[in-house]
Amino acid sequence: MSDQEIISLIQADKQNHALLRLYKHYPGVEHFLIMHGASKEEAQDIYQDALYVFCKKVKEGNLTLTVQLNTYLYSICKLMWKVELRKKNKNALLFSEIQDETANYDSEELEKISRAEKAWESLGDKCWEILKAFYHEGMSMAKIAMKFSFSTEKSAKNQKYKCLEKAKLKYNELATQNYEQLF
Amino acid sequence: MRAELEEIEKIELYLSEGMNPADLQSFEEELKTNPVLRNKVQDQQILVEGLHKKVFRDAANTAFKKYKLYKKLRWGGIAVVCISLLILLYLLFHPNNEQTEESGAIPNSEVSNADEKINIAEAKEISNNAMQDQPLQNKKNTSPSLSDERKDTVSENAAKTENIQQNTNKKILGWLGIYEITDKIKFMGVSSNSSEKGEFSLLGSGIIKTTITTLNGAQWAFDDAKTSIKIAEENYPVTWIEKDQSFSFKMKYEKRNHKCTFNYEEHLEE
């Protein structure tokens, strides 16, 4: 499947099909990252972050591929691992010779989003399902109330609010931890 | 809590671009002057994006598992195809394959290069008067060369423990041959160049019993686990050879799971 066909799949909201095909580039990237000090799990996380950035840009119409998709994913992963090494206070000069302008991304924004992702992970299953139905699937609160067996829409809204507050609390807690680690 | 709920709903409407123009204008005015609200909007935006990222990661994890599974299946498929091919090649080209045995097909009667190993220089072709009384089915024109004089008809059948007794008939014009009789069994016959010498062997693994019966009823049996049995000149019926210038006997052998009987006939002619 060509790069353009993969992009078309993402644009057509067939992300799951695209993801399966995007993994064909993974072995090379994984090898590269492991050779540069990443563990298998870290390599996998970084590749998934790179795929997230790529898919988001495609959906927002912010991406013009000037190189092959394989090269683009390599470049993003390299940048991400460089940032990760800096965070770990390790020698990011491993990449000093790499002047890669092929890909770029907002690392600060991604870090915040990843922190929010972690905050969501701390939620219970029911909270997660309710908020996913509302924010990701665009389900109305009336439907959510029915689906999750709330007596009224209002009680469903209250539950949603509580769940969101929990996530916010966790997010702020993670942000404080991160801030403390810096100093 | 009521006021907070309403504020969140407003932020959600603003972020999902679902606000009516009048509310939108007043909300944007408030955003300019109220940094706390601005932070709340930014946090909400990040939180919702984090939720999308978690959904994405779940999908990516599923895709990764599928990818690994497909990879394994692909290698597994390749391995299965390779093994199947190897088995097929083995079955096709192995000289003593099971198919031959099970189907009871007649194996090729092959005369090997054993000529080189066994001194045959003294071999003579003796006129076989008996041939006229007992004409060979597969008799061909005899040619001066030794190899062309060999006329083999082999029908050999092997059966498994059901004790189906099957026969192999050999008619040989000539004096020497190694015959593939059945799976891993070779029958090697070296006829006498006169009525005095000769050697017959049944070579193979797993033979547990061999019985040789001459046409005149004399029996010569082995009842041991030797894998090679030779009939030396003192064992085979010399008198009979002298009598009609041909050599014939019935040989039975048993393997662990097989019983087989075949007849061996050799006629010597000029």
Side-chain angles (χ1 to χ4, degrees):
Chain A
M1 186 174 264
S2 72
D3 295 351
Q4 192 49 52
E5 282 170 319
I6 291 176
I7 289 172
S8 301
L9 277 177
I10 299 165
Q11 284 165 339
D13 266 340
K14 291 177 179 169
Q15 194 171 266
N16 291 351
H17 290 87
L19 279 172
L20 196 59
R21 279 146 187 93
L22 282 165
Y23 265 106
K24 75 173 181 186
H25 302 301
Y26 180 62
V29 175
E30 185 194 44
H31 178 73
F32 173 83
L33 291 172
I34 287 173
M35 291 297 282
H36 287 81
S39 68
K40 269 200 158 195
E41 288 72 26
E42 284 170 329
Q44 199 183 319
D45 282 349
I46 282 181
Y47 194 69
Q48 286 185 349
D49 279 355
L51 292 183
Y52 166 75
V53 168
F54 168 69
C55 291
K56 193 169 176 246
K57 283 190 175 191
V58 169
K59 276 185 180 171
E60 290 169 352
N62 289 337
L63 184 80
T64 315
L65 267 188
T66 52
V67 290
Q68 283 195 331
L69 180 53
N70 190 20
T71 314
Y72 175 83
L73 289 171
Y74 250 100
S75 303
I76 284 213
C77 287
K78 268 185 229 169
L79 283 175
M80 284 180 171
W81 184 233
K82 197 173 172 180
V83 171
E84 200 60 35
L85 285 176
R86 275 206 198 111
K87 272 201 283 184
K88 288 178 167 186
N89 290 325
K90 286 195 177 172
N91 190 4
L93 292 175
L94 273 171
F95 293 101
S96 60
E97 74 282 9
I98 300 166
Q99 295 295 319
D100 206 325
E101 301 299 326
T102 312
N104 57 61
Y105 73 101
D106 187 337
S107 63
E108 275 183 34
E109 190 195 41
L110 184 70
E111 199 180 329
K112 282 181 187 170
I113 293 170
S114 299
R115 198 180 300 140
E117 185 194 347
K118 282 198 180 75
W120 290 115
E121 281 166 7
S122 70
L123 286 188
D125 285 348
K126 193 170 180 185
C127 270
W128 166 247
E129 290 300 329
I130 291 169
L131 292 169
K132 189 174 84 167
F134 183 76
Y135 290 114
H136 190 73
E137 291 156 21
M139 206 180 271
S140 70
M141 282 315 292
K143 276 190 181 173
I144 288 173
M146 265 173 53
K147 188 181 175 186
F148 294 93
S149 311
F150 287 103
S151 53
T152 60
E153 190 181 326
K154 195 181 164 191
S155 56
K157 276 185 181 176
N158 282 336
Q159 183 62 43
K160 187 202 112 194
Y161 174 75
K162 282 180 192 168
C163 293
L164 186 63
E165 284 304 303
K166 269 190 206 171
K168 268 186 195 170
L169 205 69
K170 187 70 186 174
Y171 173 74
N172 289 330
E173 193 183 308
L174 290 168
T176 313
Q177 275 176 16
N178 189 54
Y179 182 77
E180 282 168 354
Q181 276 172 5
L182 288 173
F183 297 98
Chain B
M1 188 168 145
R2 188 76 217 158
E4 285 160 340
L5 250 171
E6 279 174 5
E7 189 185 51
I8 289 235
E9 278 178 355
K10 260 190 186 178
I11 293 172
E12 281 168 0
L13 263 179
Y14 170 72
L15 289 174
S16 62
E17 297 174 352
M19 230 171 209
N20 66 54
D23 288 344
L24 181 66
Q25 201 180 353
S26 67
F27 191 80
E28 281 177 340
E29 286 298 322
E30 200 183 344
L31 272 180
K32 280 178 194 166
T33 55
N34 186 349
V36 178
L37 181 67
R38 212 160 46 230
N39 278 340
K40 280 183 180 173
V41 170
Q42 280 170 358
D43 282 357
Q44 179 71 11
Q45 207 170 6
I46 292 289
L47 270 171
V48 173
E49 198 48 54
L51 183 141
H52 292 320
K53 188 166 182 263
K54 180 168 161 27
V55 173
F56 180 89
R57 190 176 291 279
D58 291 344
N61 279 329
T62 308
F64 186 51
K65 277 179 195 161
K66 271 189 192 170
Y67 162 79
K68 284 197 287 190
L69 181 72
Y70 289 160
K71 217 172 156 185
K72 274 184 195 169
L73 285 175
R74 193 176 60 193
W75 283 111
I78 290 168
V80 167
V81 169
C82 288
I83 291 167
S84 306
L85 271 174
L86 285 173
I87 291 171
L88 193 69
L89 286 172
Y90 177 82
L91 290 174
L92 281 174
F93 295 109
H94 195 272
N96 297 318
N97 63 64
E98 288 295 322
Q99 280 183 337
T100 305
E101 192 172 320
E102 282 170 12
S103 65
I106 301 167
N108 286 336
S109 176
E110 289 177 5
V111 179
S112 82
N113 293 330
D115 308 47
E116 291 166 19
K117 297 175 188 170
I118 301 164
N119 183 4
I120 56 168
E122 292 175 16
K124 289 179 185 173
E125 293 167 42
I126 303 164
S127 168
N128 182 9
N129 298 326
M131 282 298 298
Q132 290 161 3
D133 304 327
Q134 199 175 22
L136 291 172
Q137 294 286 324
N138 293 338
K139 185 177 176 182
K140 291 182 183 174
N141 293 333
T142 43
S143 76
S145 79
L146 275 173
S147 59
D148 286 342
E149 287 170 3
R150 294 168 191 150
K151 313 280 187 203
D152 297 346
T153 301
V154 178
S155 76
E156 183 275 332
N157 302 296
K160 296 207 169 181
T161 36
E162 290 85 24
N163 286 338
I164 301 167
Q165 203 173 60
Q166 297 168 336
N167 294 309
T168 295
N169 295 308
K170 261 178 191 277
K171 289 186 176 178
I172 302 163
L173 282 179
W175 44 270
L176 174 68
I178 290 183
Y179 308 96
E180 300 284 341
I181 289 170
T182 186
D183 182 37
K184 294 173 187 170
I185 298 290
K186 280 182 178 176
F187 174 76
M188 185 168 76
V190 185
S191 86
S192 59
N193 60 349
S194 67
S195 60
E196 293 172 354
K197 289 181 182 176
E199 187 177 277
F200 293 87
S201 305
L202 191 61
L203 305 171
S205 58
I207 298 166
I208 54 171
K209 190 173 181 180
T210 304
T211 313
I212 291 172
T213 313
T214 61
L215 289 187
N216 61 3
Q219 268 204 348
W220 189 64
F222 300 90
D223 194 11
D224 60 22
K226 282 181 185 174
T227 54
S228 174
I229 300 155
K230 292 184 179 180
I231 308 166
E233 96 186 66
E234 65 270 23
N235 295 109
Y236 70 82
V238 175
T239 49
W240 181 73
I241 285 184
E242 283 176 333
K243 191 177 166 187
D244 60 7
Q245 301 296 316
S246 67
F247 186 85
S248 178
F249 61 80
K250 187 187 278 184
M251 185 180 268
K252 280 183 182 178
Y253 71 89
E254 288 176 30
K255 287 181 77 177
R256 277 182 198 87
N257 296 320
H258 301 86
K259 278 189 176 179
C260 186
T261 303
F262 62 91
N263 297 319
Y264 180 90
E265 286 184 47
E266 180 175 318
H267 303 277
L268 307 174
E269 63 179 6
E270 260 184 314

